[in-house]
Amino acid sequence: MNRYEAFTNMLWRFMERIGAKSISFIVSIVLARILSPDDYGMIALVSAMIVILDVFVDSGFGTSLIQKKDSDCIDYSSVFYFNIFLCAVLYVIIYVTAPFVAGLFQEPELTPVIRVMSVIIIISGIKNVQQAYVAQHMLFKKFFFATIGGTLLSGITGIILALRGYGIWALVVQNLTNVLTDTIILWITVGWRPEKCFSAERLKQLF
């Protein structure tokens, strides 16, 4: 890759980060004037739990795929199928334990919120390999459109639902829409698709 391509990719990445943060900041200000602090507090609890679990979803495989110079479709497909399996197991665990978690915070209404918002974990499992592929091949322009598209659409959706009185569910749908839109755009724009192959040995090497 020459200097021009490196600079262009860096510029796309920079615009993606600045654009997404700017949109999120504006949307947060608008939503803060509509929703109650309690709604934000409960979403913060669920979001923190999902962020922690997301560490286990990736398990460092994304970084390994990026760093491995000769990674091929077997590597990518193996990580993809493993991620889907792991995310499904984690979601079942979260779904079953949601009432217990809600009870710990003495917020029984959190149970359906946890169960619905945790779908993000499954979507993230689908998206992680696409993100690794984009990063390894320096296709940061695709990151830009996926991230900005997801942030903008989810922001508009969240504001509309908040104005219509959906409360905490406006934030739940906003988060889900963001991740889902981001994932769909990446799948449409990125050429990689999983093949019917799996190698436990490759997974061990990447892990």
Side-chain angles (χ1 to χ4, degrees):
M1 177 177 292
N2 57 43
R3 291 183 179 180
Y4 174 76
E5 291 176 328
F7 174 77
T8 302
N9 277 292
M10 182 184 70
L11 185 61
W12 278 113
R13 188 61 167 167
F14 175 75
M15 291 192 299
E16 176 227 336
R17 290 290 85 202
I18 293 297
K21 294 296 182 183
S22 300
I23 295 171
S24 296
F25 178 69
I26 295 171
V27 170
S28 296
I29 291 176
V30 175
L31 289 175
R33 296 179 65 86
I34 303 173
L35 301 174
S36 69
D38 289 341
D39 293 332
Y40 271 99
M42 287 192 287
I43 283 295
L45 290 174
V46 180
S47 296
M49 181 181 67
I50 292 175
V51 168
I52 293 172
L53 290 173
D54 197 48
V55 175
F56 296 96
V57 170
D58 182 64
S59 303
F61 283 124
T63 303
S64 295
L65 286 172
I66 295 170
Q67 294 178 346
K68 187 178 179 182
K69 295 181 179 180
D70 59 344
S71 56
D72 55 21
C73 195
I74 297 177
D75 294 311
Y76 279 96
S77 296
S78 299
V79 172
F80 177 81
Y81 293 124
F82 176 78
N83 277 353
I84 297 299
F85 170 76
L86 180 61
C87 290
V89 172
L90 286 174
Y91 182 76
V92 170
I93 293 173
I94 294 172
Y95 188 93
V96 172
T97 59
F100 173 73
V101 175
L104 286 177
F105 295 107
Q106 298 181 342
E107 297 285 356
E109 63 270 25
L110 266 182
T111 298
V113 173
I114 292 171
R115 286 173 171 173
V116 173
M117 195 161 164
S118 294
V119 174
I120 289 176
I121 293 175
I122 296 177
I123 301 173
S124 295
I126 296 173
K127 184 179 69 171
N128 282 347
V129 177
Q130 292 283 6
Q131 287 181 314
Y133 185 90
V134 169
Q136 187 187 48
H137 293 83
M138 302 289 283
L139 304 173
F140 293 117
K141 184 177 180 179
K142 300 183 185 299
F143 263 146
F144 173 82
F145 288 110
T147 303
I148 297 300
T151 306
L152 189 58
L153 181 60
S154 65
I156 294 172
T157 303
I159 291 173
I160 291 174
L161 292 177
L163 288 171
R164 296 197 173 195
Y166 282 88
I168 190 173
W169 287 102
L171 295 173
V172 173
V173 174
Q174 180 197 3
N175 281 276
L176 281 171
T177 303
N178 193 351
V179 179
L180 183 60
T181 304
D182 190 352
T183 303
I184 290 173
I185 293 175
L186 279 180
W187 271 81
I188 292 173
T189 58
V190 177
W192 181 83
R193 295 290 185 273
E195 295 185 2
K196 295 178 180 179
C197 54
F198 181 87
S199 172
E201 185 61 33
R202 295 288 185 93
L203 276 179
K204 288 173 61 179
Q205 294 172 8
L206 290 167
F207 187 77

